[in-house]
Coordinates of all heavy atoms in Angstrom, one line a residue:
A1 N 341.0 -36.2 84.3 CA 341.4 -36.1 83.0 C 341.9 -37.4 82.4 O 341.7 -37.7 81.3 CB 342.6 -35.1 82.9
I2 N 342.4 -38.3 83.3 CA 342.9 -39.5 82.8 C 341.8 -40.6 82.7 O 342.1 -41.6 82.0 CB 344.0 -40.0 83.8 CG1 345.1 -40.8 83.1 CG2 343.5 -40.8 85.0 CD1 346.3 -41.0 83.9
M3 N 340.7 -40.4 83.2 CA 339.7 -41.4 83.2 C 339.2 -41.9 81.8 O 339.0 -43.0 81.6 CB 338.4 -41.0 84.0 CG 338.7 -40.9 85.5 SD 337.3 -40.7 86.5 CE 336.6 -42.3 86.4
H4 N 339.2 -40.9 80.9 CA 338.8 -41.3 79.5 C 339.8 -42.3 78.9 O 339.4 -43.0 78.0 CB 338.6 -40.1 78.6 CG 339.8 -39.5 78.1 ND1 340.7 -38.8 78.9 CD2 340.4 -39.6 76.9 CE1 341.8 -38.5 78.1 NE2 341.6 -39.0 76.9
D5 N 341.0 -42.3 79.3 CA 342.0 -43.2 78.8 C 341.7 -44.6 79.0 O 342.3 -45.5 78.3 CB 343.4 -42.8 79.3 CG 344.0 -41.6 78.6 OD1 343.6 -41.2 77.5 OD2 345.0 -41.0 79.2
I6 N 340.8 -44.9 79.9 CA 340.4 -46.3 80.1 C 339.9 -46.9 78.8 O 340.1 -48.1 78.5 CB 339.3 -46.4 81.2 CG1 339.1 -47.9 81.6 CG2 338.0 -45.8 80.7 CD1 340.2 -48.4 82.5
G7 N 339.4 -46.1 77.9 CA 338.9 -46.6 76.6 C 340.1 -47.2 75.7 O 339.8 -48.0 74.8
K8 N 341.3 -46.8 76.0 CA 342.4 -47.3 75.2 C 342.6 -48.8 75.4 O 343.2 -49.5 74.6 CB 343.7 -46.6 75.6 CG 343.7 -45.1 75.1 CD 345.0 -44.4 75.5 CE 345.1 -43.0 75.0 NZ 346.3 -42.3 75.4
L9 N 342.1 -49.3 76.6 CA 342.2 -50.7 76.8 C 341.5 -51.5 75.8 O 342.0 -52.7 75.4 CB 341.6 -51.1 78.2 CG 342.4 -50.5 79.4 CD1 341.6 -50.8 80.7 CD2 343.8 -51.1 79.5
E10 N 340.5 -51.0 75.2 CA 339.7 -51.7 74.2 C 340.5 -52.0 73.0 O 340.2 -53.0 72.2 CB 338.4 -51.0 73.9 CG 337.4 -50.9 75.0 CD 336.8 -52.2 75.3 OE1 336.4 -53.0 74.4 OE2 336.8 -52.6 76.5
S11 N 341.5 -51.2 72.7 CA 342.3 -51.3 71.4 C 343.3 -52.5 71.5 O 343.7 -53.0 70.5 CB 343.0 -50.1 71.1 OG 344.0 -49.8 72.0
N12 N 343.7 -52.8 72.8 CA 344.7 -53.9 73.0 C 345.9 -53.7 72.1 O 346.4 -54.7 71.5 CB 344.0 -55.2 72.8 CG 344.8 -56.4 73.4 OD1 345.5 -56.2 74.4 ND2 344.7 -57.5 72.8
L13 N 346.4 -52.5 72.1 CA 347.6 -52.3 71.2 C 348.9 -52.4 72.0 O 349.0 -52.0 73.2 CB 347.6 -50.8 70.7 CG 346.5 -50.5 69.6 CD1 346.6 -49.1 69.2 CD2 346.6 -51.4 68.4
A14 N 349.9 -52.9 71.4 CA 351.3 -53.0 72.0 C 351.9 -51.6 71.9 O 351.4 -50.7 71.2 CB 352.1 -54.0 71.2
L15 N 353.0 -51.4 72.5 CA 353.6 -50.0 72.5 C 353.9 -49.5 71.1 O 353.6 -48.4 70.8 CB 354.9 -50.1 73.4 CG 355.7 -48.8 73.4 CD1 354.9 -47.7 74.0 CD2 357.0 -49.0 74.2
H16 N 354.5 -50.4 70.3 CA 354.9 -49.9 68.9 C 353.6 -49.6 68.1 O 353.6 -48.8 67.3 CB 355.8 -50.9 68.2 CG 355.2 -52.2 67.9 ND1 355.0 -53.2 68.9 CD2 354.7 -52.7 66.8 CE1 354.4 -54.2 68.3 NE2 354.2 -54.0 67.0
E17 N 352.5 -50.4 68.4 CA 351.3 -50.1 67.7 C 350.6 -48.8 68.2 O 350.0 -48.1 67.4 CB 350.3 -51.3 67.9 CG 350.8 -52.6 67.3 CD 350.0 -53.8 67.7 OE1 349.5 -53.9 68.9 OE2 349.9 -54.7 66.9
R18 N 350.8 -48.5 69.5 CA 350.3 -47.2 70.0 C 351.0 -46.0 69.3 O 350.4 -45.0 69.0 CB 350.5 -47.1 71.5 CG 349.5 -48.0 72.3 CD 349.7 -47.9 73.8 NE 348.8 -48.7 74.5 CZ 348.0 -48.3 75.4 NH1 348.0 -47.1 75.8 NH2 347.2 -49.2 76.0
M19 N 352.3 -46.2 69.1 CA 353.0 -45.2 68.4 C 352.5 -45.0 67.0 O 352.3 -43.9 66.5 CB 354.5 -45.5 68.4 CG 355.1 -45.5 69.7 SD 356.8 -46.1 70.0 CE 357.6 -46.1 68.4
L20 N 352.2 -46.1 66.3 CA 351.6 -46.0 65.0 C 350.2 -45.4 65.0 O 349.9 -44.5 64.2 CB 351.5 -47.5 64.4 CG 350.7 -47.6 63.1 CD1 351.4 -47.0 61.9 CD2 350.4 -49.1 62.8
A21 N 349.4 -45.7 66.0 CA 348.1 -45.1 66.1 C 348.2 -43.6 66.4 O 347.4 -42.8 65.9 CB 347.3 -45.8 67.3
T22 N 349.2 -43.2 67.2 CA 349.3 -41.8 67.4 C 349.7 -41.0 66.2 O 349.1 -39.9 65.9 CB 350.4 -41.5 68.5 OG1 350.0 -42.2 69.7 CG2 350.6 -40.1 68.8
V23 N 350.5 -41.6 65.3 CA 350.9 -40.9 64.1 C 349.6 -40.9 63.2 O 349.3 -39.9 62.5 CB 352.1 -41.6 63.4 CG1 352.3 -41.1 62.0 CG2 353.3 -41.5 64.2
A24 N 348.9 -42.0 63.1 CA 347.7 -42.1 62.3 C 346.7 -41.1 62.7 O 346.0 -40.5 61.9 CB 347.1 -43.5 62.4
G25 N 346.6 -40.8 64.0 CA 345.7 -39.8 64.5 C 346.0 -38.4 64.1 O 345.1 -37.6 64.0
R26 N 347.2 -38.2 63.7 CA 347.6 -36.8 63.2 C 347.3 -36.7 61.7 O 347.4 -35.6 61.1 CB 349.1 -36.6 63.4 CG 349.5 -36.6 64.8 CD 349.2 -35.3 65.5 NE 349.7 -35.3 66.9 CZ 349.2 -34.5 67.8 NH1 348.3 -33.7 67.5 NH2 349.7 -34.6 69.0
T27 N 347.1 -37.9 61.0 CA 347.0 -37.8 59.6 C 345.6 -38.2 59.0 O 345.3 -38.0 57.8 CB 348.0 -38.8 58.9 OG1 347.8 -40.1 59.4 CG2 349.4 -38.3 59.3
V28 N 344.7 -38.9 59.8 CA 343.4 -39.3 59.3 C 342.3 -38.5 60.0 O 342.5 -37.9 61.1 CB 343.2 -40.8 59.6 CG1 344.2 -41.6 58.9 CG2 343.1 -41.1 61.0
K29 N 341.2 -38.3 59.4 CA 340.1 -37.6 59.9 C 339.4 -38.5 61.0 O 339.5 -39.7 61.0 CB 339.0 -37.3 58.8 CG 339.5 -36.4 57.8 CD 338.4 -36.1 56.8 CE 338.9 -35.1 55.7 NZ 337.9 -34.9 54.7
F30 N 338.8 -37.8 62.0 CA 338.1 -38.5 63.0 C 337.1 -39.4 62.5 O 336.9 -40.5 63.0 CB 337.5 -37.5 64.0 CG 336.9 -38.1 65.2 CD1 337.7 -38.5 66.3 CD2 335.5 -38.2 65.4 CE1 337.2 -39.1 67.4 CE2 335.0 -38.8 66.5 CZ 335.8 -39.2 67.5
S31 N 336.4 -39.0 61.5 CA 335.3 -39.9 60.9 C 335.9 -41.2 60.3 O 335.3 -42.2 60.4 CB 334.6 -39.1 59.8 OG 335.5 -38.7 58.7
T32 N 337.2 -41.1 59.8 CA 337.8 -42.3 59.4 C 338.1 -43.2 60.5 O 337.9 -44.5 60.4 CB 339.1 -41.9 58.7 OG1 338.8 -41.1 57.5 CG2 339.9 -43.2 58.2
A33 N 338.6 -42.7 61.7 CA 338.8 -43.5 62.9 C 337.5 -44.2 63.3 O 337.6 -45.4 63.7 CB 339.4 -42.6 64.0
V34 N 336.4 -43.5 63.3 CA 335.1 -44.0 63.7 C 334.8 -45.2 62.8 O 334.4 -46.3 63.2 CB 334.0 -43.0 63.7 CG1 332.6 -43.6 63.9 CG2 334.3 -41.9 64.8
R35 N 335.0 -45.0 61.5 CA 334.7 -46.0 60.5 C 335.6 -47.3 60.7 O 335.1 -48.4 60.7 CB 334.9 -45.5 59.1 CG 334.5 -46.5 58.0 CD 334.4 -45.9 56.6 NE 335.4 -44.9 56.3 CZ 336.7 -45.2 55.9 NH1 337.1 -46.4 55.7 NH2 337.5 -44.2 55.7
W36 N 336.9 -47.0 60.9 CA 337.8 -48.1 61.2 C 337.4 -48.9 62.4 O 337.3 -50.1 62.4 CB 339.2 -47.6 61.4 CG 339.9 -47.1 60.2 CD1 339.5 -47.2 58.9 CD2 341.2 -46.5 60.2 NE1 340.5 -46.6 58.1 CE2 341.5 -46.2 58.9 CE3 342.1 -46.1 61.2 CZ2 342.7 -45.5 58.5 CZ3 343.2 -45.4 60.8 CH2 343.5 -45.2 59.5
A37 N 337.0 -48.2 63.5 CA 336.6 -48.9 64.8 C 335.4 -49.7 64.6 O 335.2 -50.7 65.3 CB 336.5 -47.8 65.9
S38 N 334.5 -49.3 63.7 CA 333.2 -50.0 63.6 C 333.1 -51.0 62.5 O 332.3 -51.9 62.6 CB 332.1 -49.0 63.4 OG 332.2 -48.3 62.2
S39 N 334.0 -50.9 61.5 CA 333.8 -51.8 60.4 C 335.1 -52.5 59.9 O 335.0 -53.5 59.2 CB 333.1 -51.1 59.2 OG 333.9 -50.1 58.8
A40 N 336.3 -52.0 60.3 CA 337.5 -52.6 59.8 C 337.8 -53.9 60.6 O 337.1 -54.2 61.6 CB 338.6 -51.6 59.9
R41 N 338.9 -54.5 60.3 CA 339.3 -55.7 61.0 C 340.8 -55.6 61.4 O 341.5 -54.8 60.9 CB 339.1 -56.9 60.1 CG 337.7 -57.1 59.7 CD 337.5 -58.3 58.8 NE 337.5 -59.5 59.6 CZ 337.1 -60.7 59.2 NH1 336.8 -60.8 58.0 NH2 337.1 -61.7 60.1
G42 N 341.2 -56.4 62.3 CA 342.6 -56.5 62.7 C 343.2 -55.2 63.3 O 342.5 -54.5 64.0
L43 N 344.4 -54.9 62.9 CA 345.1 -53.8 63.4 C 344.4 -52.4 63.1 O 344.3 -51.5 63.9 CB 346.6 -53.7 62.9 CG 347.4 -52.5 63.4 CD1 347.5 -52.5 64.9 CD2 348.8 -52.6 62.7
T44 N 343.9 -52.4 61.9 CA 343.2 -51.1 61.5 C 342.0 -50.8 62.4 O 341.8 -49.7 62.8 CB 342.7 -51.2 60.0 OG1 343.8 -51.5 59.2 CG2 342.0 -49.9 59.6
R45 N 341.2 -51.9 62.7 CA 340.1 -51.7 63.7 C 340.6 -51.3 65.1 O 340.1 -50.4 65.7 CB 339.3 -53.0 63.8 CG 338.2 -52.9 64.8 CD 337.3 -54.2 64.8 NE 336.2 -54.1 65.6 CZ 336.1 -54.3 66.9 NH1 337.2 -54.7 67.6 NH2 335.0 -54.1 67.6
R46 N 341.7 -51.9 65.5 CA 342.2 -51.6 66.8 C 342.8 -50.1 66.9 O 342.6 -49.4 67.9 CB 343.2 -52.6 67.3 CG 342.5 -54.0 67.5 CD 343.4 -55.0 68.1 NE 344.6 -55.3 67.2 CZ 345.8 -55.3 67.6 NH1 346.2 -55.0 68.8 NH2 346.8 -55.6 66.7
V47 N 343.4 -49.7 65.8 CA 343.9 -48.3 65.7 C 342.7 -47.4 65.8 O 342.7 -46.4 66.5 CB 344.8 -48.1 64.5 CG1 345.0 -46.6 64.2 CG2 346.1 -48.8 64.6
G48 N 341.6 -47.7 65.0 CA 340.4 -46.8 65.1 C 339.9 -46.7 66.5 O 339.5 -45.7 67.0
M49 N 339.9 -47.9 67.2 CA 339.4 -47.9 68.6 C 340.3 -47.0 69.5 O 339.8 -46.3 70.3 CB 339.3 -49.3 69.1 CG 338.2 -50.1 68.4 SD 338.2 -51.8 68.9 CE 337.4 -51.7 70.5
Y50 N 341.5 -47.1 69.3 CA 342.5 -46.3 70.1 C 342.2 -44.8 69.8 O 342.2 -44.0 70.8 CB 343.9 -46.6 69.7 CG 345.0 -45.9 70.5 CD1 345.4 -46.5 71.7 CD2 345.6 -44.8 70.0 CE1 346.4 -45.8 72.4 CE2 346.6 -44.1 70.7 CZ 347.0 -44.7 71.9 OH 348.0 -44.1 72.7
L51 N 341.9 -44.4 68.6 CA 341.7 -43.0 68.3 C 340.4 -42.5 68.8 O 340.3 -41.3 68.9 CB 341.8 -42.8 66.7 CG 343.2 -43.1 66.2 CD1 343.2 -43.0 64.6 CD2 344.3 -42.2 66.8
I52 N 339.4 -43.3 69.0 CA 338.2 -42.9 69.6 C 338.0 -43.3 71.1 O 336.9 -43.5 71.6 CB 337.0 -43.4 68.8 CG1 336.8 -44.9 68.8 CG2 337.1 -42.8 67.3 CD1 335.5 -45.4 68.3
H53 N 339.1 -43.4 71.7 CA 339.1 -43.9 73.1 C 338.3 -43.1 74.1 O 337.8 -43.6 75.1 CB 340.6 -44.1 73.6 CG 341.3 -42.8 73.9 ND1 342.0 -42.2 72.9 CD2 341.4 -42.1 75.0 CE1 342.6 -41.1 73.4 NE2 342.2 -41.0 74.6
G54 N 338.1 -41.8 73.8 CA 337.3 -41.0 74.7 C 335.9 -41.4 74.7 O 335.3 -41.6 75.8
A55 N 335.3 -41.7 73.6 CA 334.0 -42.2 73.5 C 333.8 -43.6 74.1 O 332.9 -43.9 74.9 CB 333.5 -42.3 72.0
L56 N 334.8 -44.5 73.8 CA 334.8 -45.8 74.4 C 334.9 -45.7 76.0 O 334.3 -46.4 76.7 CB 335.9 -46.6 73.9 CG 335.9 -46.9 72.4 CD1 337.1 -47.7 71.9 CD2 334.6 -47.7 72.0
G57 N 335.8 -44.8 76.4 CA 336.0 -44.6 77.9 C 334.7 -44.1 78.5 O 334.4 -44.6 79.6
S58 N 334.0 -43.2 77.9 CA 332.7 -42.7 78.4 C 331.8 -43.9 78.6 O 331.1 -44.0 79.6 CB 332.1 -41.7 77.5 OG 332.9 -40.5 77.4
D59 N 331.7 -44.7 77.6 CA 330.8 -45.9 77.6 C 331.1 -46.8 78.8 O 330.3 -47.3 79.5 CB 330.7 -46.7 76.3 CG 330.1 -45.9 75.2 OD1 329.4 -44.9 75.4 OD2 330.3 -46.3 74.0
M60 N 332.4 -47.0 79.0 CA 332.9 -47.9 80.0 C 332.6 -47.3 81.4 O 332.2 -48.0 82.3 CB 334.4 -48.2 79.9 CG 334.7 -49.0 78.6 SD 336.5 -49.1 78.3 CE 337.0 -50.3 79.5
I61 N 332.8 -46.0 81.6 CA 332.6 -45.4 82.8 C 331.1 -45.4 83.2 O 330.7 -45.7 84.3 CB 333.1 -43.9 82.8 CG1 334.6 -43.9 82.8 CG2 332.6 -43.1 84.0 CD1 335.2 -42.6 82.4
R62 N 330.3 -45.2 82.2 CA 328.8 -45.2 82.4 C 328.4 -46.7 82.8 O 327.6 -46.9 83.7 CB 328.0 -44.8 81.1 CG 326.5 -44.9 81.3 CD 325.8 -44.4 80.1 NE 325.9 -42.9 80.0 CZ 326.4 -42.3 78.9 NH1 326.8 -42.9 77.9 NH2 326.4 -41.0 78.9
A63 N 328.9 -47.7 82.1 CA 328.6 -49.1 82.4 C 329.0 -49.5 83.8 O 328.4 -50.3 84.4 CB 329.2 -50.0 81.3
A64 N 330.1 -48.9 84.3 CA 330.6 -49.2 85.6 C 329.8 -48.4 86.7 O 330.2 -48.5 87.9 CB 332.1 -48.9 85.7
G65 N 328.9 -47.5 86.3 CA 328.1 -46.8 87.3 C 328.8 -45.4 87.6 O 328.4 -44.8 88.6
G66 N 329.7 -45.0 86.8 CA 330.3 -43.7 87.0 C 329.3 -42.5 86.9 O 328.3 -42.6 86.3
R67 N 329.7 -41.4 87.5 CA 328.9 -40.2 87.5 C 328.7 -39.7 86.1 O 329.6 -39.7 85.3 CB 329.5 -39.1 88.4 CG 329.4 -39.5 89.9 CD 330.0 -38.5 90.7 NE 329.5 -37.1 90.5 CZ 330.0 -36.1 91.1 NH1 330.9 -36.2 92.0 NH2 329.5 -34.9 90.9
E68 N 327.5 -39.3 85.8 CA 327.2 -38.8 84.4 C 328.0 -37.6 84.0 O 328.3 -37.4 82.9 CB 325.7 -38.5 84.3 CG 325.2 -38.4 82.8 CD 325.5 -39.6 82.0 OE1 325.5 -40.8 82.5 OE2 325.7 -39.4 80.8
E69 N 328.3 -36.8 85.0 CA 329.2 -35.6 84.7 C 330.5 -36.0 84.2 O 331.1 -35.4 83.3 CB 329.4 -34.7 85.9 CG 328.1 -34.1 86.5 CD 327.4 -35.0 87.5 OE1 327.8 -36.1 87.7 OE2 326.3 -34.5 88.0
I70 N 331.1 -37.1 84.8 CA 332.4 -37.6 84.3 C 332.2 -38.2 82.9 O 333.1 -38.0 82.0 CB 332.9 -38.6 85.3 CG1 333.2 -37.9 86.6 CG2 334.2 -39.3 84.7 CD1 333.6 -38.9 87.8
V71 N 331.2 -38.9 82.7 CA 330.9 -39.5 81.4 C 330.8 -38.4 80.3 O 331.5 -38.5 79.3 CB 329.6 -40.4 81.4 CG1 329.2 -40.8 80.0 CG2 329.8 -41.6 82.3
L72 N 330.1 -37.4 80.6 CA 329.9 -36.3 79.7 C 331.3 -35.6 79.4 O 331.6 -35.3 78.3 CB 328.9 -35.3 80.3 CG 328.6 -34.0 79.4 CD1 328.0 -34.4 78.1 CD2 327.7 -33.1 80.2
W73 N 332.0 -35.3 80.4 CA 333.3 -34.7 80.3 C 334.2 -35.5 79.4 O 334.9 -35.0 78.5 CB 334.0 -34.4 81.6 CG 335.2 -33.6 81.4 CD1 335.4 -32.2 81.3 CD2 336.5 -34.1 81.3 NE1 336.7 -31.9 81.1 CE2 337.4 -33.0 81.1 CE3 337.1 -35.4 81.3 CZ2 338.8 -33.2 80.9 CZ3 338.4 -35.6 81.2 CH2 339.3 -34.5 81.0
C74 N 334.3 -36.8 79.7 CA 335.2 -37.7 78.9 C 334.8 -37.7 77.4 O 335.6 -37.8 76.6 CB 335.1 -39.1 79.5 SG 336.0 -39.2 81.1
S75 N 333.5 -37.6 77.2 CA 333.0 -37.7 75.8 C 333.4 -36.4 75.0 O 333.5 -36.5 73.8 CB 331.5 -37.9 75.7 OG 330.8 -36.8 76.2
V76 N 333.7 -35.3 75.6 CA 334.0 -34.1 74.9 C 335.5 -33.7 75.2 O 335.9 -32.7 74.6 CB 333.1 -32.9 75.3 CG1 331.7 -33.2 75.0 CG2 333.3 -32.5 76.7
H77 N 336.2 -34.4 76.0 CA 337.5 -34.0 76.4 C 338.5 -33.7 75.3 O 339.2 -32.7 75.4 CB 338.1 -35.1 77.3 CG 339.6 -35.1 77.5 ND1 340.2 -34.1 78.2 CD2 340.6 -35.9 77.1 CE1 341.5 -34.3 78.2 NE2 341.7 -35.3 77.5
Q78 N 338.4 -34.4 74.2 CA 339.4 -34.2 73.1 C 338.8 -33.5 72.0 O 339.3 -33.6 70.9 CB 340.0 -35.6 72.7 CG 340.8 -36.1 73.8 CD 341.4 -37.4 73.5 OE1 340.7 -38.4 73.2 NE2 342.8 -37.5 73.5
G79 N 337.7 -32.8 72.2 CA 337.1 -32.0 71.1 C 336.3 -32.9 70.1 O 336.0 -34.0 70.4
D80 N 336.2 -32.3 68.9 CA 335.3 -33.0 68.0 C 336.1 -33.9 67.0 O 335.6 -34.4 66.0 CB 334.5 -32.0 67.2 CG 335.3 -31.0 66.4 OD1 336.5 -31.2 66.4 OD2 334.7 -30.1 65.9
G81 N 337.4 -34.0 67.3 CA 338.2 -34.8 66.4 C 338.7 -34.0 65.2 O 339.4 -34.5 64.3
L82 N 338.3 -32.8 65.1 CA 338.7 -31.9 64.0 C 339.5 -30.8 64.4 O 339.7 -29.8 63.7 CB 337.4 -31.4 63.3 CG 336.4 -32.4 62.8 CD1 335.1 -31.7 62.3 CD2 337.0 -33.2 61.7
G83 N 340.1 -30.8 65.6 CA 340.9 -29.8 66.1 C 340.2 -28.7 66.9 O 340.9 -27.8 67.4
A84 N 338.9 -28.8 67.0 CA 338.2 -27.8 67.8 C 338.4 -28.0 69.2 O 338.4 -29.1 69.7 CB 336.7 -27.8 67.4
A85 N 338.7 -26.9 70.0 CA 338.9 -27.0 71.4 C 337.6 -27.5 72.1 O 336.5 -27.0 71.7 CB 339.3 -25.7 72.0
P86 N 337.7 -28.4 73.0 CA 336.5 -28.9 73.7 C 335.9 -27.8 74.7 O 336.6 -27.0 75.2 CB 336.9 -30.1 74.5 CG 338.4 -29.8 74.7 CD 338.9 -29.1 73.5
M87 N 334.6 -27.8 74.8 CA 333.9 -27.0 75.7 C 333.6 -27.8 76.9 O 333.1 -29.0 76.8 CB 332.6 -26.4 75.2 CG 332.8 -25.5 74.0 SD 333.6 -24.0 74.4 CE 332.4 -23.2 75.4
I88 N 333.9 -27.4 78.1 CA 333.6 -28.2 79.3 C 332.2 -27.9 79.7 O 331.8 -26.8 79.9 CB 334.6 -27.9 80.5 CG1 336.0 -28.2 80.1 CG2 334.2 -28.7 81.7 CD1 337.0 -27.8 81.1
P89 N 331.3 -28.9 79.6 CA 329.9 -28.7 79.9 C 329.7 -28.2 81.3 O 330.4 -28.5 82.3 CB 329.3 -30.1 79.8 CG 330.3 -30.9 79.0 CD 331.6 -30.3 79.3
L90 N 328.7 -27.3 81.5 CA 328.4 -26.7 82.8 C 328.2 -27.7 83.9 O 328.6 -27.5 85.0 CB 327.2 -25.7 82.6 CG 326.9 -24.9 83.8 CD1 328.1 -24.0 84.2 CD2 325.7 -24.0 83.5
P91 N 327.4 -28.8 83.6 CA 327.2 -29.8 84.7 C 328.6 -30.3 85.3 O 328.7 -30.7 86.4 CB 326.4 -30.9 84.1 CG 325.7 -30.2 83.0 CD 326.7 -29.2 82.4
V92 N 329.6 -30.5 84.4 CA 330.9 -30.9 84.8 C 331.5 -29.9 85.7 O 332.1 -30.3 86.8 CB 331.8 -31.3 83.6 CG1 333.2 -31.6 84.0 CG2 331.1 -32.4 82.7
I93 N 331.5 -28.7 85.3 CA 332.1 -27.6 86.1 C 331.4 -27.6 87.5 O 332.1 -27.5 88.5 CB 332.0 -26.3 85.4 CG1 332.8 -26.3 84.2 CG2 332.4 -25.1 86.4 CD1 332.6 -25.1 83.3
K94 N 330.1 -27.6 87.5 CA 329.4 -27.6 88.8 C 329.7 -28.8 89.6 O 329.9 -28.7 90.8 CB 327.8 -27.6 88.5 CG 327.0 -27.5 89.8 CD 325.6 -27.4 89.5 CE 324.7 -27.4 90.7 NZ 325.2 -27.8 92.0
A95 N 329.8 -30.0 89.0 CA 330.2 -31.2 89.8 C 331.6 -31.1 90.4 O 331.8 -31.5 91.5 CB 330.1 -32.4 88.9
L96 N 332.5 -30.5 89.6 CA 333.9 -30.3 90.2 C 333.9 -29.3 91.3 O 334.6 -29.5 92.3 CB 334.8 -29.8 89.1 CG 335.1 -30.8 88.0 CD1 335.8 -30.1 86.8 CD2 335.8 -32.0 88.5
I97 N 333.1 -28.3 91.2 CA 333.0 -27.3 92.3 C 332.4 -27.9 93.6 O 332.8 -27.7 94.7 CB 332.2 -26.1 91.9 CG1 333.1 -25.3 90.8 CG2 331.9 -25.1 93.0 CD1 332.3 -24.2 90.1
D98 N 331.3 -28.7 93.3 CA 330.6 -29.3 94.4 C 331.2 -30.6 95.0 O 330.7 -31.1 96.0 CB 329.1 -29.6 94.0 CG 328.4 -28.3 93.7 OD1 328.8 -27.2 94.1 OD2 327.3 -28.5 93.0
A99 N 332.2 -31.1 94.3 CA 332.8 -32.4 94.7 C 333.4 -32.3 96.1 O 334.0 -31.4 96.6 CB 333.9 -32.8 93.7
D100 N 333.2 -33.5 96.8 CA 333.8 -33.6 98.1 C 335.0 -34.5 97.9 O 335.0 -35.7 97.7 CB 332.8 -34.4 99.0 CG 333.3 -34.6 100.4 OD1 334.3 -34.0 100.8 OD2 332.7 -35.4 101.2
L101 N 336.2 -33.8 97.9 CA 337.4 -34.4 97.6 C 338.3 -34.8 98.8 O 339.4 -34.5 98.9 CB 338.2 -33.5 96.6 CG 337.6 -33.1 95.3 CD1 338.4 -32.1 94.6 CD2 337.3 -34.4 94.5
E102 N 337.7 -35.4 99.7 CA 338.4 -35.8 101.0 C 339.4 -36.9 100.7 O 339.2 -37.8 100.0 CB 337.4 -36.2 102.0 CG 336.5 -35.1 102.4 CD 335.5 -35.5 103.5 OE1 335.5 -36.6 104.0 OE2 334.7 -34.7 103.9

């Protein structure tokens, strides 16, 4: 569950800025956060990146050679940004059941 949080590193926010981003996440649409992350500058861009950290984390895990099931789960972990509950993809469930957790 925590792996997708790796995407938060991309935002490079200080503690007080993370608090601001968390409040912003409750008040702006997910599409706005995506727009901020891709086209804004400065703090606004970094807040946008923080708010889409699941997608950024998925990309980072994939680039590091992580399992595709983990990448997929991280990309849907927080729903669609509109409050919809995420569906855990079947390959993720299968991978968790089949995992060798020694």
Side-chain angles (χ1 to χ4, degrees):
I2 210 165
M3 292 190 75
H4 81 285
D5 281 343
I6 192 75
K8 290 180 180 179
L9 291 175
E10 293 293 311
S11 67
N12 197 29
L13 293 178
L15 178 60
H16 68 284
E17 293 169 330
R18 285 178 183 235
M19 292 172 19
L20 171 70
T22 300
V23 171
R26 301 280 185 199
T27 60
V28 301
K29 294 181 179 179
F30 187 76
S31 59
T32 300
V34 171
R35 184 171 38 85
W36 287 353
S38 63
S39 62
R41 302 177 79 166
L43 180 60
T44 303
R45 179 175 187 273
R46 293 185 300 126
V47 168
M49 293 174 75
Y50 184 86
L51 295 176
I52 65 166
H53 69 272
L56 296 174
S58 292
D59 292 343
M60 293 170 75
I61 292 166
R62 181 178 285 123
R67 291 176 52 181
E68 195 59 29
E69 296 89 356
I70 295 171
V71 172
L72 180 61
W73 185 85
C74 289
S75 68
V76 300
H77 164 67
Q78 291 180 301
D80 61 7
L82 303 173
M87 297 293 293
I88 300 174
L90 188 57
V92 174
I93 295 170
K94 183 176 180 339
L96 293 172
I97 292 169
D98 295 342
D100 181 13
L101 301 175
E102 295 180 4

